[in-house]
Amino acid sequence: MATRVLGVSGGPAYRCSYPNGDQVENVVIVFECRISGGDLGGQDGESVELKFFAAEERPPLGFPYPDQLFGEVIETLY
């Protein structure tokens, strides 16, 4: 369940060019969420693997999300 918006990002750092020449500019909205039950799983067949990570173990991400959006540091933003 989403509980609040933590950040909205976009601009040049969020542009992407695909091999076929298509170009897009993403606007990313990051939500804080609470797990309320159920199983972690995809719904549309697009995701190969889903997994929870501790903030210090997260893998590299495709866009430059601010580090403050992850881990205990979030509490200091508000």
Side-chain angles (χ1 to χ4, degrees):
M1 168 174 51
T3 58
R4 64 180 170 166
V5 174
L6 293 178
V8 179
S9 300
Y14 293 82
R15 292 181 183 148
C16 181
S17 296
Y18 291 97
N20 68 357
D22 288 350
Q23 297 180 346
V24 296
E25 186 166 318
N26 297 284
V27 174
V28 177
I29 304 170
V30 178
F31 295 91
E32 177 183 78
C33 297
R34 299 277 182 229
I35 299 170
S36 59
D39 296 319
L40 181 62
Q43 296 181 355
D44 58 10
E46 189 171 297
S47 299
V48 175
E49 181 181 8
L50 299 172
K51 183 177 177 182
F52 289 106
F53 292 93
E56 64 277 1
E57 296 173 357
R58 75 179 196 270
L61 301 173
F63 293 112
Y65 297 99
D67 285 335
Q68 295 91 339
L69 293 178
F70 302 96
E72 299 302 318
V73 179
I74 291 172
E75 297 304 321
T76 64
L77 292 176
Y78 298 93

